[in-house]
Amino acid sequence: MRIIFASGNKGKIREASEILGEDYEIITPASLGINEEIEETGNTLKENSLIKAEYLYKRTGMNVFADDTGLEVDALGGAPGVHSARYATDGHDFDANIDKLLLELSKHPGEPRSARFKSVVTLLINGERHFFEGTIEGRIAESRSGVNGFGYDPVFIADAYPGRTFAEVPEEAKNAVSHRGQSLRAMAAWLKENGF
Ligand code: IMP
C-alpha cells in the first residue's frame, strides 16, 4: 500500500523503508511538493506525532503515519525529552544538540548516564487514529563514536549492544531493537491484521 511518512528526516525515512519492507510504498511530503516545516507545538511526543500526521492528512487526504521521538536522560531529569530536536538551537542541529547534551551531563559527575529513546507513532488510516510506541534503554557515552545513523546515535549506547554506540552498529541491527523499530513493527503488524 502507498502511505505518507510525515517526515523530512532522511535517516528516519531510510529506517522506515527498511523496517516496513516492500509491502508498503513510503511517500515523503517532499515528493508531493510539501516542504514546509510543521510546527511541533504539543507538550508530549504523542501530541506532536498526531500534529504532524494530521497536518499531512488534511493537506493530502491520504493515509499517513508520523513518528515523534524523544531522548530522556535520567541525570537531566528526563531532558531533552519532547524538546530533543531543538535542544541546543532552533534548527535540528545534530552536532550542537550532542555538544549541549555532553556539556550538561559533565555538570553531573558521578551520576548514572542512563537514558532511553521513546518513539510514538500516529497512524491515520481512513481518518481513524491509532498510536504505537517503542522504548529502548541505554546510556550516554562520554564522547562521540561511529558514523552510522543520525541525531544522537553517536552518543547513545543501547543496553542491547554494550560498548558500541548506535552509530557503530549496522542499520539493520539498530532497527532490530530501536524505539522506532518497535513502534513501526507494531504499526505494520496492525496494518496486516486489519487487511491493509
Ligand atoms: P523528531 O522525532 O524528529 O522530532 O526527533 C527528535 C530528535 O531526536 C531529533 O534531534 C532527532 O535527530 C533525534 N532522533 C530521533 N530519532 C533518533 C534516533 O533513532 N537516533 C538518534 N537520534 C534520534
Side-chain angles (χ1 to χ4, degrees):
M1 78 177 277
R2 280 162 60 84
I3 187 159
I4 297 180
F5 182 19
S7 179
N9 177 325
K10 290 197 175 70
K12 278 193 186 181
I13 293 163
R14 207 180 46 242
E15 285 182 8
S17 306
E18 206 262 332
I19 292 164
L20 296 180
E22 287 174 359
D23 290 346
Y24 301 93
E25 185 191 343
I26 292 178
I27 314 290
T28 62
S31 73
L32 301 172
I34 301 172
N35 292 304
E36 62 268 25
E37 174 116 5
I38 302 165
E39 269 200 71
E40 297 179 21
T41 51
N43 293 315
T44 61
L45 298 177
K46 188 173 176 180
E47 280 172 24
N48 280 338
S49 78
L50 179 62
I51 286 169
K52 289 187 262 191
E54 280 198 321
Y55 182 90
L56 269 298
Y57 180 67
K58 282 186 187 136
R59 281 289 304 265
T60 65
M62 289 174 67
N63 294 325
V64 54
F65 68 95
D67 147 90
D68 201 54
T69 292
L71 175 65
E72 284 180 5
V73 180
D74 292 328
L76 303 179
V82 72
H83 306 294
S84 295
R86 292 182 180 76
Y87 188 38
T89 69
D90 212 19
H92 294 271
D93 184 333
F94 295 160
D95 257 351
N97 283 342
I98 290 180
D99 286 343
K100 177 161 180 188
L101 181 64
L102 295 177
L103 177 70
E104 293 301 322
L105 269 175
S106 72
K107 298 175 188 166
H108 297 262
E111 285 186 43
R113 297 175 75 92
S114 48
R116 66 206 54 77
F117 278 118
K118 287 188 176 168
S119 155
V120 179
V121 165
T122 299
L123 170 67
L124 290 182
I125 190 132
N126 297 337
E128 278 176 27
R129 299 170 178 183
H130 301 274
F131 300 97
F132 306 91
E133 300 189 359
T135 302
I136 175 97
E137 297 287 338
R139 54 185 290 274
I140 304 301
E142 302 284 338
S143 59
R144 295 169 165 82
S145 3
V147 295
N148 300 336
F150 65 94
Y152 296 94
D153 281 344
V155 291
F156 185 80
I157 301 174
D159 290 348
Y161 302 119
R164 281 184 294 169
T165 69
F166 257 174
E168 293 178 297
V169 298
E171 185 169 282
E172 304 84 78
K174 175 186 172 186
N175 292 343
V177 299
S178 78
H179 48 303
R180 203 166 28 260
Q182 296 170 34
S183 53
L184 289 181
R185 276 191 296 276
M187 180 185 84
W190 185 93
L191 285 167
K192 290 227 160 72
E193 275 163 26
N194 289 277
F196 291 103

